[in-house]
Amino acid sequence: RRGVWRQIIWAIPCFLVAIVNIPWSALISGAVAIIRPELIALYIIYVTAIALLEEFVFRGVVINIVYSYFRYKQYRYVWTTLVASIFFSLTHLTNLLTGAWVGSVLLQIVYSFLIGAMLSVVIFKTRNIWLCVIIHAVFNFGGLLTAYIANGEPWDLVFWILTTVCGILCAVHIIYTLYKLEKQHVS
């Protein structure tokens, strides 16, 4: 039990990135409105199912395959994080097949790489795939909101400020953790 709380505390910057992806200020101001409240429960199941599937495939299987390749190389965690995150982000190209706009898919590839890198380090540090699933589901909840159960403009100034601040804090946290993991592995 004590170990789980340590993992959760360590993952707070990662949770913040996911939480600020929910357009709180746009929801409060009315710039985003829930137009299908009857679908909220189904929507939660949907974003959780996506997170479960993607995390068990990418952080459960793919990252282990990639890590086994880099296991005896220098900077094994960095290389594994980069390669697994590139693979994770490029799989989102499949959204082009559903008719998604090229610009939005390219943006999704960029943030999928960043989220993939963050979740890769979460799994390395905590060995807890459920933290990855929860963070991913919360991130998807905010990111897909206007695609399924709401309408409006979620990306206001408050959103971008919070995203930038939390993203920078999390990036420092993740890079420092990668550094420590590499250093521990050398020792």
Side-chain angles (χ1 to χ4, degrees):
R1 181 180 291 190
R2 194 169 166 182
V4 171
W5 284 110
R6 283 186 182 166
Q7 293 171 359
I8 291 170
I9 290 168
W10 175 86
I12 287 173
C14 306
F15 279 109
L16 287 176
V17 166
I19 290 166
V20 301
N21 198 47
I22 299 170
W24 298 105
S25 66
L27 283 165
I28 292 167
S29 72
V32 168
I34 304 293
I35 57 170
R36 301 292 309 266
E38 72 279 8
L39 296 179
I40 291 175
L42 187 60
Y43 178 68
I44 291 169
I45 292 168
Y46 174 71
V47 296
T48 303
I50 291 171
L52 272 167
L53 175 68
E54 288 185 350
E55 290 312 309
F56 277 90
V57 169
F58 290 99
R59 259 55 71 188
V61 176
V62 171
I63 205 158
N64 285 311
I65 293 168
V66 175
Y67 182 79
S68 68
Y69 177 78
F70 290 111
R71 173 175 285 164
Y72 301 110
K73 298 188 181 347
Q74 189 175 17
Y75 306 116
R76 61 190 52 85
Y77 292 108
V78 172
W79 283 113
T80 301
T81 299
L82 289 174
V83 171
S85 300
I86 289 169
F87 186 67
F88 176 67
S89 66
L90 290 178
T91 61
H92 289 83
L93 282 170
T94 58
N95 291 329
L96 290 172
L97 301 174
T98 65
W101 180 60
V102 173
S104 66
V105 172
L106 291 176
L107 179 62
Q108 187 180 30
I109 287 170
V110 171
Y111 70 71
S112 294
F113 172 82
L114 296 172
I115 293 299
M118 177 183 75
L119 293 172
S120 295
V121 177
V122 169
I123 199 72
F124 284 142
K125 176 68 178 171
T126 67
R127 304 279 188 233
N128 187 338
I129 199 161
W130 295 108
L131 285 176
C132 295
V133 170
I134 294 166
I135 292 166
H136 194 148
V138 172
F139 187 85
N140 283 354
F141 182 87
L144 297 173
L145 199 61
T146 57
Y148 293 103
I149 63 169
N151 69 3
E153 180 57 49
W155 303 290
D156 58 7
L157 182 60
V158 174
F159 171 85
W160 287 114
I161 291 170
L162 289 173
T163 298
T164 302
V165 170
C166 290
I168 290 169
L169 290 172
C170 187
V172 169
H173 180 63
I174 292 300
I175 291 167
Y176 178 72
T177 300
L178 267 177
Y179 169 77
K180 285 190 69 164
L181 286 168
E182 294 292 357
K183 193 172 176 181
Q184 288 170 357
H185 212 81
V186 171
S187 301

